[in-house]
Amino acid sequence: MLRWVRQQLGFDPPHQSDTRTIYIANRFPQHGHYVPQKFADNRIISSKYTVWNFVPKNLFEQFRRVANFYFLIIFLVQLMIDTPTSPITSGLPLFFVITVTAIKQGYEDWLRHKADNEVNGAPVYVVRSGGLVKTRSKNIRVGDIVRVAKDETFPVDLVLLSSDRVDGSCHVTTASLDGETNLKTHVAVPETAVLQSVANLDKLVAVIECQQPEADLYRFVGRITVSQQAEEIVRPLGPESLLLRGARLKNTKEIFGVAVYTGMETKMALNYKSKSQKRSAVEKSMNSFLIIYLIILLFEAILSTILKYAWQAEEKWDEPWYNEKTEHERNSSKILRFISDFLAFLVLYNFIIPISLYVTVEMQKFLGSFFIGWDLDLYHEETNQRAQVNTSDLNEELGQVEYVFTDKTGTLTENEMQFRECSINGIKYQEVNGKLTPEGFSEDSPDGNRHGLVKEEELFLKAVCLCHTVQINADQTDGADGPWHANGITSPLEYYASSPDEKALVEAASRVGVVFTGISGDSMEVKSLGKPERYKLLHVLEFDPNRRRMSVIVESPSGEKLLFTKGAESSILPRSKSGEIDKTRIHVDEFALKGLRTLCVAYRRFTPEEYQEVGKRLQEARTALQQREERLADVFNFIERDLELLGATGVEDKLQEKVQETIEALRLAGIKVWVLTGDKHETAVSVSLSCGHFHRTMNILELVQHKSDSTCAEQLRQLAKRIKEDHVIQHGLVVDGTSLSLALREHEKLFMEVCKNCSAVLCCRMAPLQKAKVVRLLKTSPEKPITLAIGDGANDVSMIQEAHVGIGIMGKEGRQAVRNSDYAIARFKFLSKLLFVHGHFYYIRIATLVQYFFYKNVCFITPQFLYQFFCLFSQQTLYDSVYLTLYNICFTSLPVLIYSLFEQHVHPHVLQSKPVLYRDISKNAHLGFKPFLYWTVLGFFHAFVFFYGSYLLMGEDTSLLGNGQILKPNRQMMFGNWTFGTLVFTVMVITVTMKMALETHFWTWINHFVTWGSIVFYFIFSLFYGGIIWPFLHTQDMYFVFVQLLSSGSAWFAIILIVVACLFIDVVKKVLYRHLQPTSTEKAQMYSNRVALSDEFIALQPLSRARNQLSKIRWKKIRVQSAQHVTLLKAGTEGKTIGSC
């Protein structure tokens, strides 16, 4: 029971030995020595809390905040000793803050639970009791045989047992795991591959022994022991047998597999970082400010205590006639009395620490987050997806981003390749209406409308159709004629490719007349202009990153042995001895300049003797037990030589809309962009060039293919030297996963120095946890920059969780990134609006909110401190306890909350069109020491004016009455300590509210309502509170005080004079700075007021905003026809319509 409770609280996760033994279909041995192992269930958990740990864990996180912990201590002190104020004044706001925050965080975690339940409740089919049983994903156990159909994702990590194919193979795509969209082939062991029915699988007796779960996606070590007719057959299991959770089954009707890793032990889940509480830079600044104010509080409390005892050193003040001490008080310890007085002063001044700041910030974040979801500019109509907020705690962090780490596949690109151009025999071709047309020709020109293909073109297209790893949908290869009908018209072929490039090339070839129709046994079938041809596939020379090419050896219908090769131009052109090499090289450079992904195609004819030698060498290398990889590389190099160049291809990886403009805007805003991708080096560089991440004029530095620390360190030193020598030129850095591991192991400082001096960095061949490691490296560097990670697949989850702000793209790679992100958007282009507009607004709003709260609490409590000098430090409170409690909760809370929700100090259109304005708020500029000092000094200044202004204007020429009140002889007005305190409080409420009004640039009816309404509410409340005897109150010191105060003309004069005196200096300072030293933001404010209001400009905002802006220009007449049309009537613009506001 105790172990179960610890597991529910997250303290004792299940742990097993180094290996696990899995009995397929859970057929456990019957002998008594077997002890069953305990495995995790198949639930995926992305939430932070459970029903059991929500209260303790949430309370722990909340009391980590300085203000919450401080008010808890104050509340306990008020309960334990006699203090000037009631415990309710601290306990009620604290309870309110804790409750509201817990509800908000509980709601957000409930949304995560809801998303998890959708995944965990997905229907699956398992083999149990001789039949196929439908159950939920969370009910799968280790050892269950699971059936997965075509296009479904694998619900657990499975070892493949069989498929609908005779050889037990299947094809999967792991795009959501590693970002690669290529098909990967997995195979079952021969003994289980033949078990293609549920009945046969139910009879299977086998045991799998494998390693315990680990995060490496590409490593799996195990073995399967199959019992057949009293004989045990042992087969090794490797990565080719393991189907990973999150991958998708393609080109295969169905497969059966046994669950080996479930739930949070799957490789996909192990590549998630554990979810931790992210805290924004603003919250850290708040905690720093709170500590400073805590020091001020302690100083005031200690000073007051010392001055009290210094004053009481005189005998007449130690025990005056009206306040004689009891016997107990005379005999009590002086140290205890000192501590008690110190704590009493601490309680008296405790409101200098604004507890309601936290609840206001929580409400601002929670309510403000809805604006992101409501923004129609972040709505993607094609997919019907709007932006969503998973964590509202980080809204203001969107305005502080310094580094953006982005995935490539599906984030920058649509992941859709399109054939654009090719070069054949030195001539450039384009595809025009399904025909290859030489450059400079059109269908209207004499040679443009050609029939058929010339010999070189046909050979080039056949090479493209034969040299690949493309698969065809199994459904389309059934029947004698395959996908071809009797009339010769084809049905559309559905290709699955080992890379998007290959798919685009094969599809382009099929459109222009050479169609790959599938593989039958060891033959590849092609139709050239309707004529079927069968090529026998003899050998495949697989692609590898060192050779950067792949080849096939085929036997043509005429019996000729041919080698077809395609690969990067740097690996093909040097090995070519004939063909139009120079012209093709020029064409390849031209394609690259257009941002196209290029491949060169070549071939070689073998004589019978040459082919015999090739076959012999390949067989020896492939059967070698030692140094197999090196021997294969040597044979491949021997075969792929003396090539005849056929041509080159140019394929475009379709970028998402406005990616280039977004990256350029990020650069102008001072944000550095890093691309982290699992793709190949050439692919990643090509996309970086086409999307504007790398410029053509940029000096590209490479740190790739290093195998040792020494070579990596030497290369890093050379790169650092080159950067220093060429400091004028912009540099871009390309680094691969293996080199990165070496660089981070021993040379982290040098690597960071090189990276920081580069304008753009591209990391390719990255594992998911490597992405997170790179983000952490920047995050923990001495400058502590704010990082943002954006991606669309499960391979990006670790990076998204590691960064300060994680953004998921709602793409084609599943929902893992979205579920684990802080924000989710449909397209990369929306990032600019999210940062430059929403991020900018959120930061300005919350920065002003935080500093305004400290300002108004200094204004609130400093008069209390000054009053002690006039009451012999007797701990007499200046304000009534009801005013103490309601000052932050009611009288001054709404104006700043509404400001923090609606303020737009610059027009959104200007912010988005001028990314450079983002620099004005970077590095927490508005919450630095100078702004903080300004607001604090301003608060003390206003407090002194409140107190001494009221004292000088209303406190002179008085005589003390026996009842503690003061009589003005000329007007017989009762003017006591409560009247004086109420006057100070009234001036304070009006001034701090007007100060908020001065800070507001964007006025709506709501702003007007809460600003003037707060002042009116204070007056009405005070009249009712002091004008009626309330039976449930023990004492009512404020009875008729406020009515008497307002009946005095001099009191009204004092209120107006003091308020004007306080705000006048602030207004003068704003005017002078705005005209003498305007910031770029202030210039933009003036620009936004004067900008010509074009149709597009007005259409960006709701009608109310448009009308508000239009009212600032002297139009002769404005006729509002409807919410869709506003007609402007002005000299020269009569009848001009602004459509669709």
Side-chain angles (χ1 to χ4, degrees), residues 891 894-895 898 902 993 1003-1017:
F891 299 145
L894 279 179
I898 296 302
F902 296 116
T993 305
W1003 284 88
T1004 65
W1005 69 267
I1006 304 176
N1007 293 80
H1008 284 289
F1009 178 77
V1010 298
T1011 300
W1012 317 120
S1014 292
I1015 297 173
V1016 171
F1017 171 75

Side-chain angles (χ1 to χ4, degrees), residues 540-553 563 565-566 568 570-577 604 606 610 613-614 617-618 621-622 628-643:
V540 177
L541 281 57
E542 297 84 0
F543 175 89
D544 70 66
N546 294 322
R547 283 167 47 241
R548 301 204 294 182
R549 60 186 179 271
M550 79 155 288
S551 303
V552 292
I553 301 176
L563 169 80
T565 303
K566 77 167 186 294
S570 58
S571 66
I572 299 291
L573 295 180
R575 296 182 161 272
S576 301
K577 67 172 185 178
R604 177 184 175 185
F606 291 117
E610 286 175 335
E613 175 70 13
V614 163
R617 290 197 179 200
L618 274 173
R622 282 184 166 149
R628 181 182 296 179
E629 291 180 358
E630 290 82 355
R631 294 181 68 172
L632 274 173
D634 291 340
V635 175
F636 288 172
N637 285 328
F638 170 75
I639 296 170
E640 297 166 330
R641 60 188 175 90
D642 300 333
L643 302 174

Side-chain angles (χ1 to χ4, degrees), residues 502-607:
E502 289 188 333
K503 181 183 177 184
L505 292 174
V506 171
E507 286 176 340
S510 70
R511 289 195 298 270
V512 297
V514 180
V515 184
F516 169 65
T517 57
I519 298 177
S520 176
D522 60 354
S523 297
M524 300 182 76
E525 298 171 357
V526 174
K527 278 206 171 185
S528 178
L529 298 176
K531 178 186 174 185
E533 296 181 7
R534 189 181 291 264
Y535 289 80
K536 186 177 181 181
L537 182 61
L538 302 173
H539 298 285
V540 177
L541 281 57
E542 297 84 0
F543 175 89
D544 70 66
N546 294 322
R547 283 167 47 241
R548 301 204 294 182
R549 60 186 179 271
M550 79 155 288
S551 303
V552 292
I553 301 176
V554 297
E555 182 179 330
S556 69
S558 62
E560 196 174 15
K561 306 293 192 297
L562 300 172
L563 169 80
F564 289 111
T565 303
K566 77 167 186 294
E569 73 278 2
S570 58
S571 66
I572 299 291
L573 295 180
R575 296 182 161 272
S576 301
K577 67 172 185 178
S578 59
E580 296 290 347
I581 297 173
D582 294 332
K583 287 183 179 179
T584 304
R585 183 178 280 114
I586 293 169
H587 291 165
V588 166
D589 292 339
E590 290 175 0
F591 295 163
L593 284 171
K594 295 177 183 176
L596 303 181
R597 297 153 62 95
T598 58
L599 289 172
C600 287
V601 182
Y603 84 113
R604 177 184 175 185
R605 299 176 191 272
F606 291 117
T607 63

Side-chain angles (χ1 to χ4, degrees), residues 848-1067:
T848 306
L849 182 150
V850 168
Q851 296 183 115
Y852 175 78
F853 251 93
F854 284 109
Y855 152 80
K856 74 186 180 77
N857 277 46
V858 168
C859 291
F860 180 41
I861 221 65
T862 304
Q864 181 82 66
F865 172 68
L866 296 174
Y867 184 60
Q868 297 307 304
F869 287 88
F870 293 83
C871 67
L872 297 183
F873 296 93
S874 61
Q875 297 153 11
Q876 169 64 38
T877 178
L878 179 62
Y879 315 119
D880 183 73
S881 60
V882 172
Y883 284 165
L884 280 171
T885 305
L886 297 183
Y887 174 73
N888 279 317
I889 294 178
C890 293
F891 299 145
T892 60
S893 59
L894 279 179
V896 67
L897 177 62
I898 296 302
Y899 169 92
S900 65
L901 291 175
F902 296 116
E903 173 63 3
Q904 296 183 11
H905 64 301
V906 181
H907 196 284
H909 178 78
V910 176
L911 284 178
Q912 198 162 3
S913 62
K914 292 180 177 290
V916 71
L917 295 177
Y918 193 82
R919 294 173 184 256
D920 283 0
I921 61 169
S922 63
K923 299 188 184 297
N924 209 8
H926 287 249
L927 274 176
F929 182 71
K930 281 186 178 179
F932 169 71
L933 187 63
Y934 164 73
W935 280 92
T936 302
V937 170
L938 185 68
F940 278 112
F941 168 71
H942 284 181
F944 273 79
V945 175
F946 300 155
F947 186 84
Y948 286 108
S950 301
Y951 179 75
L952 293 173
L953 290 170
M954 302 295 294
E956 294 181 352
D957 192 22
T958 59
S959 59
L960 188 67
L961 297 180
N963 60 3
Q965 293 183 322
I966 300 171
L967 181 68
K968 293 280 275 189
N970 57 342
R971 287 187 300 277
Q972 297 297 309
M973 173 185 163
M974 304 299 287
F975 192 79
N977 64 317
W978 294 117
T979 312
F980 177 70
T982 303
L983 176 62
V984 173
F985 193 84
T986 303
V987 170
M988 178 170 55
V989 168
I990 296 172
T991 304
V992 298
T993 305
M994 293 298 293
K995 172 62 180 169
M996 188 76 263
L998 284 177
E999 295 298 316
T1000 304
H1001 295 89
F1002 182 62
W1003 284 88
T1004 65
W1005 69 267
I1006 304 176
N1007 293 80
H1008 284 289
F1009 178 77
V1010 298
T1011 300
W1012 317 120
S1014 292
I1015 297 173
V1016 171
F1017 171 75
Y1018 164 70
F1019 277 87
I1020 294 173
F1021 173 84
S1022 297
L1023 286 170
F1024 272 90
Y1025 173 58
I1028 301 172
I1029 296 177
W1030 300 98
F1032 52 83
L1033 294 177
H1034 297 296
T1035 61
Q1036 199 160 343
D1037 298 319
M1038 294 297 294
Y1039 179 68
F1040 226 62
V1041 169
F1042 197 70
V1043 176
Q1044 280 192 327
L1045 181 68
L1046 295 187
S1047 64
S1048 167
S1050 58
W1052 282 103
F1053 174 73
I1055 290 170
I1056 294 169
L1057 189 62
I1058 294 169
V1059 170
V1060 171
C1062 285
L1063 297 177
F1064 178 74
I1065 295 175
D1066 201 40
V1067 172

Side-chain angles (χ1 to χ4, degrees), residues 47 116 157 194 544 711 777 857 908 943 980 1065 1109 1120:
S47 54
D116 289 342
D157 287 353
V194 296
D544 70 66
T711 59
L777 181 68
N857 277 46
F980 177 70
I1065 295 175
Q1109 291 292 328
V1120 180

Side-chain angles (χ1 to χ4, degrees), residues 650-662:
V651 174
E652 181 183 37
D653 185 359
K654 188 180 177 185
L655 288 172
Q656 286 189 18
E657 189 184 359
K658 293 188 177 179
V659 164
Q660 195 161 354
E661 293 90 332
T662 304

